[in-house]
Amino acid sequence: MVKNRTLFSRTADGIILALLVLSSILCIFPIWYTIAVSFSDKAAVAGGLVTWLPVDFTLSSYKKILQEQAFFTAFGVSIQRVILGGILNFVICVLMAYPLSRQSYQFRYRNAYMWFLVFTMLFSGGLIPWFMTIKSYGLLDTIWALVLPGAVPVFNVILLVNFFRSTPKDLDEAGMMDGAGPWYMLLKVYLPLSVPVLATITLFSIVMHWNSFFDGLILMNKQEHYPLQTYIQQLVVQINTDNMTTEELRQMAQLSNKTLNAAKIVISMIPILIVYPFLQRFFIHGIMLGSVKE
Amino acid sequence: MKKQPFAFHYHLMLLPGIVLLILFSIVPMFGITIAFQNFKPGLGFWRSEWVGFDNFKYLFELPDSRIILFNTLFIAIGKIIANMIVPVVFALLLNEVRTAWLKRSVQTIVYLPHFLSWVILAGILSDLLSMDGLINQMIGAFGAKPIMFLGSNSWFPSIVIGSDVWKEFGFGTIVYLAALTGINPSLYEAAAIDGATRMQQLRYITLPSLKPTIILLATLSLGNVLNAGFDQIFNLYNPLVYDSGDIIDTYVYRAGLLQVQYGLATAVGLLKSVISFVLIIISYVLASKFANYRIF
């Protein structure tokens, strides 16, 4: 770098630093604020006293959640969904990516399969036919309705295909020479080499399953089958004041309980906040490896 | 042609995924026929009356359809432009930082909102933006009247675009940062020796190096002009802002699943799918032609 930095240059550095710190604060503040609200006293929140630290620190919202059966049921559904869906996504993604990463002379149907995949990714029947198909399979109100329709993460498959293709050809030839079959090559050679990408697609699929609310909303009729995000969506976000019954108005009264809602939001963020630091060091690397080709 | 000894195993590996795709992606495509029917759930697929293009004709006569199309385009294009500019600028700023730990911490923080759902973020936002929320308290401190942000048609589209940028700009910078690290450092050294200022280096080295990436992403975003973001708007909007916030996807949800106008909703969805599909194909063709981009 240049040694004698001018005053202009140093001022510029200062401004850049300030902008970066400011945008980081902007990104984290709403989340931080919600955490502060969740630990504050109800009255303090209603009076608008909370800005960035909890006022009259209390765990009462969290204690109240402990008594709510519906919250835990929804939490359980989400956990179940993430585990089932995550494993299914992973297995299918790996199984599909390997054959599709072969060259056409190794597997001549490769391109046909690939176009089929891309077609399903780009074109869809739309919401209503999708809903009716799942209904006709009799999957409504089962956990499989949340897991199976998204079981093939085409985008992730393509990411992994591109990564597999970027591994040296010599590796493949050496393996074949030693008599390794496709299953051996996939499990013992390609998978151990792909940890960053695998971590990335696993993060994506965990986050996708944890964050989905809409399929839960339309595919589940009974509230006890709602995943956590759908449950929160119904409770915290959706306030439809038109055509409201007295029963719903009574629930409205509960809705205004800001601290309780904040606590629910905080709890539902926890799993993401836990996996995020572990996997985020992989994903930048993983995305770039999967998408940049020679 | 050479022998392909493992073809059977390859087909076997692909089988589960292909079966699931057929069941959950291809089969629903046949449901598109509902768009040409006066579909009655009681009568089902086979016995509902065929009406040709009536659903589409009806759709174009609806006064709502123009508003919905306008809202969708306005919000989607606004997002595309803002999500183009902010990450580039942010990546450039971040690139100027030489302190590694600072750079890494800023990155880690700004990616975070991308991983939270719109349910959670909408919950947080509607609290912050409510009449007695923190933002209005701050406005109140300056003596101004509180604004009903999420209930005002003049505010709603900008809040949608702004909060989307807030959620996604950190994640959007990843690609640009990668492009920036790919620039040969000797270019900067040579420029510095020749006496180029930082602004000149930015203008003559950094920006031209980023140009291909910017063009590529701009081209690919073309396929998204009808996607204004269902999850976000669904969680933020309310009947007060239908005029400015109702988009194709939210309309399909309400008309189809809530008002049980299956035929109409499917027709709207089909129109959107077809146009989007064509746009995506065009954008991929352009991207492969001008930026040498391939999906696989």
Side-chain angles (χ1 to χ4, degrees):
Chain A
M1 279 316 294
V2 198
K3 272 178 195 145
N4 53 345
R5 318 205 77 183
T6 57
L7 180 67
F8 172 78
S9 192
R10 265 180 283 142
T11 325
D13 278 333
I15 295 172
I16 288 168
L17 202 67
L19 280 173
L20 290 178
V21 172
L22 186 73
S23 31
S24 308
I25 292 173
L26 270 178
C27 279
I28 206 85
F29 177 74
I31 298 157
W32 179 262
Y33 169 77
T34 308
I35 296 173
V37 166
S38 75
F39 286 111
S40 295
D41 186 67
K42 243 168 128 176
V45 174
L49 297 174
V50 180
T51 47
W52 66 284
L53 281 178
V55 176
D56 299 332
F57 184 89
T58 166
L59 289 171
S60 63
S61 324
Y62 291 92
K63 281 184 191 142
K64 211 177 263 171
I65 291 177
L66 287 177
Q67 295 155 7
E68 272 191 51
Q69 191 56 46
F71 183 85
F72 284 101
T73 316
F75 199 91
V77 172
S78 274
I79 295 282
Q80 201 186 350
R81 171 183 189 163
V82 165
I83 293 172
L84 273 177
I87 293 173
L88 201 63
N89 279 168
F90 184 86
V91 171
I92 288 184
C93 187
V94 166
L95 280 182
M96 293 189 97
Y98 180 73
L100 294 175
S101 69
R102 303 301 83 199
Q103 301 294 331
S104 300
Y105 69 81
Q106 292 169 308
F107 183 44
R108 84 178 68 117
Y109 304 101
R110 171 192 183 266
N111 286 337
Y113 276 119
M114 208 71 207
W115 283 116
F116 176 80
L117 248 70
V118 172
F119 177 70
T120 60
M121 183 171 74
L122 301 185
F123 189 75
S124 78
L127 177 65
I128 309 294
W130 179 80
F131 170 75
M132 291 182 50
T133 309
I134 292 168
K135 192 178 169 190
S136 72
Y137 294 154
L139 290 178
L140 294 194
D141 272 308
T142 67
I143 185 83
W144 299 108
L146 304 178
V147 170
L148 289 178
V152 190
V154 177
F155 180 78
N156 292 352
V157 173
I158 292 173
L159 215 62
L160 197 57
V161 166
N162 287 334
F163 182 79
F164 281 169
R165 296 204 115 193
S166 69
T167 52
K169 300 272 170 298
D170 308 342
L171 195 74
D172 216 53
E173 281 162 20
M176 293 296 168
M177 211 74 94
D178 290 343
W183 298 90
Y184 186 91
M185 286 301 285
L186 172 61
L187 297 176
K188 298 280 165 131
V189 180
Y190 277 87
L191 284 195
L193 281 175
S194 320
V195 173
V197 188
L198 293 174
T200 306
I201 61 169
T202 309
L203 171 71
F204 284 167
S205 97
I206 288 175
V207 169
M208 187 273 287
H209 277 295
W210 186 261
N211 280 348
S212 299
F213 74 98
F214 187 65
D215 46 3
L217 182 66
I218 64 170
L219 300 175
M220 301 291 134
N221 295 316
K222 299 197 183 95
Q223 217 205 335
E224 65 258 33
H225 295 138
Y226 278 174
L228 190 59
Q229 302 282 335
T230 313
Y231 167 82
I232 290 181
Q233 203 267 339
Q234 286 290 291
L235 214 74
V236 183
V237 179
Q238 201 179 55
I239 309 169
N240 257 326
T241 34
D242 49 30
N243 59 48
M244 223 180 215
T245 61
T246 34
E247 169 64 15
E248 284 165 330
L249 279 170
R250 199 179 54 77
Q251 287 180 340
M252 259 291 272
Q254 286 185 321
L255 274 175
S256 61
N257 193 341
K258 282 188 178 181
T259 54
L260 188 61
N261 286 339
K264 284 175 179 163
I265 286 175
V266 170
I267 291 182
S268 72
M269 282 193 290
I270 288 173
I272 296 287
L273 296 179
I274 290 174
V275 292
Y276 179 69
F278 289 105
L279 292 174
Q280 76 102 16
R281 68 194 175 99
F282 284 123
F283 76 73
I284 305 163
H285 197 47
I287 293 169
M288 293 326 298
L289 289 174
S291 56
V292 177
K293 284 145 289 171
E294 292 303 315
Chain B
M1 193 169 273
K2 261 186 180 174
K3 245 180 87 189
Q4 304 196 323
F6 299 125
F8 171 75
H9 291 280
Y10 294 150
H11 286 299
L12 200 65
M13 286 172 170
L14 286 162
L15 187 70
I18 296 294
V19 168
L20 284 164
L21 277 179
I22 290 175
L23 284 176
F24 291 99
S25 293
I26 302 296
V27 171
M29 287 179 197
F30 293 104
I32 285 169
T33 45
I34 296 170
F36 306 98
Q37 287 182 330
N38 178 13
F39 186 81
K40 296 262 167 23
L43 291 175
F45 219 52
W46 303 108
R47 284 179 297 154
S48 288
E49 184 197 352
W50 289 88
V51 291
F53 284 92
D54 278 9
N55 283 322
F56 293 92
K57 276 180 208 148
Y58 177 62
L59 171 66
F60 286 111
E61 284 159 12
L62 277 179
D64 293 347
S65 56
R66 253 186 230 167
I67 300 171
I68 293 157
L69 185 64
F70 175 80
N71 291 343
T72 309
L73 289 174
F74 183 82
I75 293 173
I77 292 171
K79 280 184 182 176
I80 288 173
I81 294 171
N83 279 325
M84 201 93 238
I85 296 170
V86 179
V88 173
V89 173
F90 194 77
L92 289 175
L93 291 178
L94 208 53
N95 195 43
E96 295 294 316
V97 178
R98 300 275 168 251
T99 330
W101 66 267
L102 186 80
K103 199 171 170 178
R104 220 174 316 120
S105 347
V106 170
Q107 282 185 44
T108 308
I109 292 173
V110 295
Y111 297 151
L112 183 61
H114 170 82
F115 290 95
L116 298 172
S117 74
W118 270 120
V119 172
I120 288 174
L121 295 180
I124 296 176
L125 279 177
S126 49
D127 188 23
L128 282 172
L129 294 169
S130 68
M131 288 295 274
D132 55 353
L134 196 65
I135 308 275
N136 269 321
Q137 282 174 34
M138 278 157 61
I139 294 172
F142 290 103
K145 271 192 189 143
I147 300 164
M148 203 176 164
F149 288 105
L150 293 173
S152 140
N153 279 310
S154 51
W155 277 98
F156 193 75
S158 16
I159 286 170
V160 168
I161 295 170
S163 57
D164 190 64
V165 170
W166 170 68
K167 185 178 192 279
E168 303 295 348
F169 83 91
F171 201 70
T173 51
I174 292 180
V175 184
Y176 296 109
L177 277 179
L180 286 171
T181 47
I183 302 173
N184 190 346
S186 58
L187 286 175
Y188 290 107
E189 281 157 27
I193 288 166
D194 289 346
T197 63
R198 280 169 84 176
M199 283 314 271
Q200 283 169 332
Q201 291 179 20
L202 174 73
R203 195 171 152 199
Y204 295 108
I205 302 172
T206 316
L207 283 181
S209 313
L210 275 188
K211 209 170 113 189
T213 314
I214 297 175
I215 292 174
L216 174 66
L217 292 185
T219 317
L220 292 179
S221 68
L222 178 68
N224 268 328
V225 292
L226 289 184
N227 283 326
F230 175 82
D231 279 13
Q232 180 194 16
I233 291 176
F234 185 72
N235 284 310
L236 281 174
Y237 83 161
N238 58 68
L240 289 174
V241 286
Y242 281 171
D243 281 346
S244 67
D246 205 9
I247 55 167
I248 298 174
D249 293 326
T250 50
Y251 182 79
V252 169
Y253 169 76
R254 286 207 320 280
L257 292 175
L258 297 187
Q259 296 161 16
V260 208
Q261 294 176 291
Y262 282 152
L264 178 71
T266 309
V268 179
L270 175 61
L271 218 53
K272 191 204 156 197
S273 287
V274 171
I275 297 173
S276 289
F277 184 68
V278 172
L279 287 173
I280 293 172
I281 297 293
I282 291 174
S283 69
Y284 280 145
V285 169
L286 289 177
S288 74
K289 203 169 172 185
F290 294 112
N292 214 3
Y293 173 85
R294 298 245 182 298
I295 321 167
F296 58 86

